[in-house]
């Protein structure tokens, strides 16, 4: 990473939460910093790599060193989970000011991008969801420059050609929605082929939320750290056993590896 951008990112201190170095930033601060470094990064080399963790990611990383390494390779990690914020208030030298959920952050960044001219590329999810997400963002932010979009299922030569196309478009920010750990591995494998990109922000299921397919939990559940319960209610077959196994691991990791 370029030293000048290391200095910019170091403007925000980090604290160890569940074993992960989390940037102590609120949403407005995270959005401003992302746009600033994305637009001013000298092109060449790999883009800056921003990611986020929640309780589930911390649980999985605590028992999977390879996954932990993928997260730790990031230039910035944000807290996309209220339990991390709550734990930091009791266990860390500096408390996290608030949760920086990617599903909220994208709107903060889009508003700044309208003003500054920062450009987006949406990469990931299924074709229909990706298209609907792009349309929803364009409707909400008419002056936002989305220079391109693509679903997340390309492979082989088709993927290489698409990466060349994306690099030629030179977006300031790629929102990469492939899910954990595919998107983190994607950055490791392919980011070096995108030297003209400013920032890659891993985004999980962001496009499904923007498109309206997956509604957000009520605000009171988000604030209490129970969004995982809402998601389980929405998709019980897929998520019940996942959270049943990861939640205890997350609690242990937060208690054991936060400071």
């Amino acid at each position: 990473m370029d030293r000048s951008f290391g200095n910019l990112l170091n403007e925000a201190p980090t604290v160890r939460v569940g074993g992960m170095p989390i940037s102590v930033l609120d949403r407005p601060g995270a959005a401003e910093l992302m746009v600033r470094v994305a637009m001013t990064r000298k092109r060449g080399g790999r883009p800056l790599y921003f990611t986020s963790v929640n309780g589930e990611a911390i649980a999985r990383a605590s028992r999977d060193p390879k996954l932990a390494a993928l997260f730790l390779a990031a230039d910035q990690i944000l807290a996309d989970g209220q339990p991390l914020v709550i734990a930091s208030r009791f266990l860390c030298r500096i408390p996290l000011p608030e949760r920086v959920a990617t599903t909220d952050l994208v709107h903060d960044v889009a508003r700044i991008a309208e003003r500054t001219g920062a450009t987006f590329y949406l990469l990931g999810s299924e074709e229909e969801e990706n298209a609907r997400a792009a349309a929803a963002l364009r409707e909400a932010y008419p002056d936002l420059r989305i220079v391109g979009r693509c679903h997340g299922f390309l492979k082989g030569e088709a993927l290489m050609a698409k990466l060349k196309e994306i690099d030629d478009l030179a977006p300031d920010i790629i929102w990469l929605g492939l899910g954990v750990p595919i998107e983190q591995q994607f950055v490791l494998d392919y980011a070096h082929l995108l030297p003209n990109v400013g920032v890659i922000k891993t985004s999980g299921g962001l496009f499904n939320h923007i498109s309206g397919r997956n509604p957000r939990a009520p605000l009171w559940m988000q604030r209490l750290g129970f969004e995982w319960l809402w998601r389980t209610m929405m998709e019980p077959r897929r998520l019940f056993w996942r959270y049943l196994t990861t939640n205890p691991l997350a609690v242990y990791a937060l208690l054991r590896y936060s400071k």
Side-chain angles (χ1 to χ4, degrees):
M1 179 174 59
D2 185 287
R3 181 176 296 177
S4 62
F5 290 96
N7 292 337
L8 281 175
L9 294 176
N10 288 337
E11 291 178 6
T14 62
V15 292
R16 188 73 54 170
V17 185
M20 290 289 161
I22 308 297
S23 293
V24 182
L25 286 166
D26 58 13
R27 271 178 37 207
E32 289 280 358
L33 181 60
M34 182 185 295
V35 173
R36 181 156 46 122
V37 300
M39 295 189 72
T40 58
R41 187 186 82 85
K42 183 179 179 180
R43 296 323 197 228
R46 74 158 176 83
L48 294 171
Y49 160 33
F50 289 6
T51 194
S52 306
V53 293
N54 56 16
E56 181 192 355
I58 282 179
R60 293 172 64 181
S62 71
R63 60 182 181 182
D64 185 345
K66 292 183 178 180
L67 178 58
L70 290 176
F71 280 111
L72 293 171
D75 297 298
Q76 182 192 74
I77 305 176
L78 295 170
D80 191 347
Q82 187 65 15
L84 279 66
V85 176
I86 295 171
S88 75
R89 292 171 182 166
F90 297 96
L91 302 172
C92 297
R93 57 187 177 82
I94 307 174
L96 297 173
E98 65 175 328
R99 177 191 181 193
V100 185
T102 306
T103 43
D104 297 319
L105 179 66
V106 67
H107 297 285
D108 298 319
V109 176
R111 283 187 285 270
I112 299 171
E114 280 193 304
R115 184 179 75 244
T116 60
T119 56
F120 283 12
Y121 192 99
L122 310 184
L123 179 59
S125 193
E126 300 172 352
E127 171 61 22
E128 181 181 357
E129 293 302 310
N130 185 291
R132 290 173 62 188
L137 282 174
R138 288 189 172 110
E139 181 178 359
Y141 307 101
D143 294 327
L144 176 63
R145 296 174 59 203
I146 300 177
V147 297
R149 62 166 197 85
C150 182
H151 64 81
F153 293 92
L154 294 178
K155 295 181 179 180
E157 293 183 3
L159 175 58
M160 293 298 103
K162 181 58 67 174
L163 292 174
K164 175 63 168 60
E165 176 187 310
I166 294 171
D167 195 55
D168 288 342
L169 291 168
D172 293 305
I173 301 170
I174 293 178
W175 298 91
L176 180 65
L178 302 175
V180 177
I182 298 173
E183 58 196 19
Q184 285 77 22
Q185 186 67 50
F186 184 98
V187 174
L188 178 66
D189 292 342
Y190 301 115
H192 67 283
L193 300 176
L194 298 166
N196 291 315
V197 173
V199 168
I200 298 176
K201 174 63 177 77
T202 64
S203 307
L206 172 65
F207 302 141
N208 291 337
H209 286 289
I210 296 175
S211 71
R213 177 179 176 181
N214 293 341
R216 295 291 301 280
L219 188 59
W220 69 267
M221 294 187 78
Q222 296 181 42
R223 289 175 173 169
L224 291 175
F226 290 133
E227 191 160 12
W228 62 269
L229 181 58
W230 172 266
R231 292 173 179 169
T232 303
M233 292 165 60
M234 295 298 100
E235 300 181 84
R237 291 185 179 182
R238 187 173 74 89
L239 296 178
F240 177 78
W241 288 108
R242 177 191 297 185
Y243 286 129
L244 186 66
T245 56
T246 59
N247 280 4
L249 286 172
V251 171
Y252 174 79
L254 290 173
L255 292 173
R256 178 69 176 81
Y257 302 114
S258 299
K259 61 180 181 179

